[in-house]
């Protein structure tokens, strides 16, 4: 019988110990670099520029009185006995890539264009392939908007297993992820077990355990390496932040005031105090301090590993996603996830009051049945190819829309839920995802959400 890791000390699988081998730093063959994935975002500072959704938030804070509304054109409704369609609300797009005048912001959803034959391209699939490989021809902002339109019109071309050579590069562009040296990723692996290693090992073997596609392509060793590298990366960032906050005061100042006083906020002090609650496994016991690993991150990173062509690509995309798009989901207290659960209840009460009242009368609030779906962006619900297609939409228009995606899944189950005396039994496992129907229903539901509630959706992951 083999000894447990706790007795003999933790062990990180080496890059050459599995079927999915990683090249060593000295090898002449290195993992594919990510430069071709960033031709669309070449005008941005990759390391410091906020992601697409973050830039829109900054714009709203800078110009609170300006109007950046988007008129949504009609889209087909899903067959879910919805109430008659109301006049469309004007909606601020949350995932804008640049600051633009309101009259130049394109629509969130565009009508299907006629077959594309311009510039020698035979179809939208060919256009997407050329856009990724050659980069934008002209304006970057309009090219990014065209990329979003192509995703929602025809989607990304895949094989029967949901695999696509383009998908990971589309995700990296939409996340505005920086380029990464392969040696940087390998150096994190070679540091050995992180403080969160024991907790990671306790979760990885259960990751999408019943999905044969995932198990065939992604090994547990690959999951362990990536999550352990992420834990080290977050650990270093947390240590650097605490160190910078403990520096002695100086007389230096700039146009924004003293750098020390800029960081002397109650939030920073609270984060410093909460850091003392870190347990031996590296996951936060509570508070608002950022953790280095929380349960559920294993499922959240699984689609990145499945879609990527290398661990280094999956690493940079996943790190960018959890640190820029949903940092509230990976804090020790998971306050972003709990905010999302409350929003599921609020949105469902507006979208379908009858269904909402029925679930509440049975004691079925979202915190009972939707925790995993909120935390993992629906990655916990099979099949995996449908998850990837849904994520294409979420990365294009904002991962906050996952809350509405969950509501749409409930609306698609409406008749069965209303007819069941125990809807909780049905909600233990959601029906298999149907990405196209969910995306169509989500866009349809956006119009019905009041502006103030939609604003909560946009910011609940911060």
């Amino acid at each position: 019988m083999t000894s447990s890791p706790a007795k003999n000390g933790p062990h990180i699988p080496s890059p050459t110990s599995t079927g999915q081998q990683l090249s060593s730093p000295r090898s002449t063959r290195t993992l594919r670099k990510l430069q071709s994935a960033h031709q669309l975002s070449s005008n941005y500072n990759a390391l410091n520029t906020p992601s697409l959704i973050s830039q829109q938030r900054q714009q709203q804070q800078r110009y609170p009185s300006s109007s950046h509304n988007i008129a949504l054109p009609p889209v087909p409704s899903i067959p879910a006995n919805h109430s008659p369609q109301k006049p469309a609300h004007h909606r601020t797009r949350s995932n804008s890539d640049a600051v633009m005048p309101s009259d130049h912001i394109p629509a969130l959803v565009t009508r299907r264009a006629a077959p594309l034959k311009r510039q020698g391209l035979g179809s939208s699939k060919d256009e997407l392939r050329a856009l990724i490989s050659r980069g934008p021809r002209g304006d970057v902002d309009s090219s990014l908007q065209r990329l979003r339109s192509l995703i929602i019109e025809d989607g990304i071309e895949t094989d029967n297993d949901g695999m696509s050579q383009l998908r990971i590069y589309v995700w990296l562009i939409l996340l505005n992820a920086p380029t990464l040296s392969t040696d940087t990723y390998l150096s994190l692996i070679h540091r050995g077990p992180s403080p969160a290693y024991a907790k990671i090992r306790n979760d990885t073997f259960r990751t999408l355990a019943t999905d044969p596609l995932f198990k065939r392509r992604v090994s547990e060793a690959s999951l362990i390496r990536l999550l352990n590298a992420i834990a080290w990366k977050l650990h270093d960032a947390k240590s650097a932040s605490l160190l910078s906050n403990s520096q002695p005061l100086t007389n230096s100042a700039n146009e924004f005031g003293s750098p020390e006083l800029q960081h002397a906020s109650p939030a920073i002090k609270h984060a410093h105090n909460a850091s003392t609650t870190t347990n031996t496994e590296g996951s936060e016991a509570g508070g608002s301090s950022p953790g280095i690993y929380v349960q559920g991150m294993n499922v959240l990173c699984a689609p990145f590993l499945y879609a990527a062509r290398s661990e280094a690509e999956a690493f940079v995309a996943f790190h960018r996603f959890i640190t820029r798009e949903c940092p509230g989901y990976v804090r020790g207290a998971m306050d972003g996830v709990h905010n999302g659960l409350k929003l599921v209840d609020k949105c469902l009460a507006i979208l379908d009051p009858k269904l909402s009242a029925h679930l509440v009368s049975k004691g079925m609030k979202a915190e009972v049945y939707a925790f995993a779906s909120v935390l993992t962006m629906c990655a916990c619900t099979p099949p995996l190819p449908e998850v990837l297609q849904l994520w294409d939409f979420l990365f294009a228009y904002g991962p906050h829309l996952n809350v509405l995606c969950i509501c749409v899944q409930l609306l698609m189950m409406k008749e069965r839920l209303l007819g069941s005396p125990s809807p909780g039994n049905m909600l233990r496992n959601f029906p298999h995802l149907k990405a196209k129907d969910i995306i169509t229903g989500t866009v349809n539901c956006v119009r019905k959400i009041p502006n103030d509630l939609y604003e909560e959706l946009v910011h609940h992951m911060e």
Side-chain angles (χ1 to χ4, degrees):
M1 180 180 297
T2 58
S3 301
S4 64
K7 293 182 180 179
N8 291 338
H11 169 68
I12 294 288
S14 65
T16 59
S17 64
T18 65
Q20 289 186 328
Q21 295 186 355
L22 289 175
S23 304
S24 64
R26 299 179 181 180
S27 173
T28 57
R29 295 183 59 196
T30 58
L31 300 176
R32 177 185 296 274
K33 293 188 178 180
L34 308 179
Q35 295 176 351
S36 62
H38 307 286
Q39 294 178 2
L40 284 177
S41 56
S42 59
N43 290 351
Y44 299 99
N45 184 328
L47 293 177
N48 299 316
T49 303
S51 61
L52 307 180
I53 185 173
S54 302
Q55 293 178 39
Q56 176 67 14
R57 294 172 185 157
Q58 293 177 2
Q59 179 186 359
Q60 292 173 344
Q61 294 173 359
R62 191 175 305 165
Y63 306 106
S65 60
S66 62
S67 173
H68 300 283
N69 295 329
I70 300 169
L72 296 176
V75 294
S77 301
I78 62 173
N81 294 330
H82 288 164
S83 58
Q85 185 173 336
K86 299 177 181 179
H89 288 291
H90 290 289
R91 176 69 63 224
T92 299
R93 191 184 69 202
S94 66
N95 205 7
S96 177
D97 49 274
V99 177
M100 296 182 291
S102 59
D103 56 346
H104 289 90
I105 296 182
L108 169 64
V109 182
T110 58
R111 296 182 182 274
R112 184 181 296 275
L116 297 171
K117 295 184 179 179
R118 62 183 183 277
Q119 299 179 355
L121 299 178
S123 68
S124 58
K125 304 290 185 183
D126 296 332
E127 183 182 3
L128 178 61
R129 195 176 299 110
L131 192 59
I132 299 301
S133 61
R134 302 173 190 170
R137 294 184 176 181
D139 182 54
V140 174
D141 296 334
S142 60
S143 296
L144 282 167
Q145 178 56 31
R146 181 57 186 160
L147 176 61
R148 294 189 180 94
S149 299
L150 291 171
I151 290 174
I152 205 169
E153 287 173 6
D154 292 321
I156 298 176
E157 188 175 8
T158 64
D159 58 21
N160 293 334
D161 294 341
M163 293 300 302
S164 169
Q165 294 182 347
L166 297 180
R167 173 169 279 126
I168 187 60
Y169 300 116
V170 172
W171 288 5
L172 289 166
I173 291 168
L174 294 173
L175 292 171
N176 197 18
T179 56
L180 176 77
S181 168
T182 301
D183 290 348
T184 301
Y185 175 65
L186 293 175
S187 67
L188 293 171
I189 295 175
H190 295 156
R191 287 171 66 174
S194 70
Y197 179 79
K199 191 171 183 66
I200 291 171
R201 288 299 303 269
N202 192 45
D203 287 344
T204 51
F205 73 94
R206 298 178 291 202
T207 306
L208 304 185
T210 60
D211 194 310
L213 294 178
F214 180 77
K215 288 298 183 182
R216 187 171 62 196
R217 178 172 172 83
V218 181
S219 67
E220 183 184 359
S222 181
L223 268 171
I224 293 171
R225 285 194 296 267
L226 188 144
L227 289 171
N228 195 73
I230 287 289
W232 274 125
K233 185 77 171 178
L234 298 179
H235 176 272
D236 292 347
K238 182 177 179 179
S239 299
S241 176
L242 293 176
L243 181 62
S244 65
N245 293 332
S246 63
Q247 293 296 323
L249 293 176
T250 65
N251 292 326
S252 61
N254 53 30
E255 64 271 21
F256 301 105
S258 170
E260 293 82 6
L261 294 180
Q262 293 173 35
H263 296 288
S265 66
I268 294 296
K269 293 179 181 178
H270 180 66
H272 178 75
N273 294 334
S275 66
T276 60
T277 63
T278 307
N279 59 31
T280 57
E281 293 180 336
S283 179
E284 302 297 335
S288 60
S289 177
I292 62 175
Y293 181 80
V294 294
Q295 191 172 22
M297 284 175 62
N298 57 314
V299 179
L300 198 58
C301 84
F304 288 99
L305 273 172
Y306 186 83
R309 305 182 70 180
S310 72
E311 287 184 21
E313 287 179 335
F315 172 84
V316 70
F318 180 57
H319 180 264
R320 183 73 170 188
F321 178 66
I322 62 174
T323 56
R324 295 300 180 96
E325 300 295 347
C326 59
Y329 279 30
V330 297
R331 293 193 187 102
M334 293 186 178
D335 49 344
V337 178
H338 293 291
N339 291 337
L341 292 170
K342 295 176 183 177
L343 288 170
V344 171
D345 289 329
K346 289 183 179 180
C347 292
L348 185 61
I350 292 174
L351 297 172
D352 198 310
K354 182 178 180 180
L355 177 58
S356 175
H358 177 69
L359 293 178
V360 171
S361 68
K362 302 296 182 179
M364 297 301 298
K365 290 190 175 182
E367 62 185 8
V368 176
Y369 60 83
F371 184 87
S373 295
V374 172
L375 172 61
T376 66
M377 305 286 166
C378 294
C380 61
T381 306
L384 187 54
E386 297 293 317
V387 172
L388 300 177
Q389 187 176 352
L390 183 62
W391 278 29
D392 295 339
F393 168 73
L394 293 178
F395 289 162
Y397 295 104
H400 65 282
L401 292 175
N402 179 59
V403 170
L404 294 181
C405 290
I406 297 171
C407 291
V408 170
Q409 293 177 69
L410 296 173
L411 293 174
M412 295 170 70
M413 304 166 59
K414 176 179 177 179
E415 297 304 321
R416 287 182 293 160
L417 289 172
L418 291 176
S420 173
S422 301
N425 295 331
M426 298 178 58
L427 294 176
R428 289 177 181 174
N429 295 295
F430 277 45
H432 283 196
L433 293 178
K434 297 180 180 178
K436 290 184 178 179
D437 291 342
I438 294 173
I439 292 171
T440 301
T442 298
V443 176
N444 208 26
C445 289
V446 166
R447 301 185 179 93
K448 305 175 184 179
I449 302 299
N451 289 336
D452 56 344
L453 182 56
Y454 190 85
E455 199 70 19
E456 291 184 48
L457 280 176
V458 172
H459 296 287
H460 84 274
M461 309 173 76
E462 297 175 353

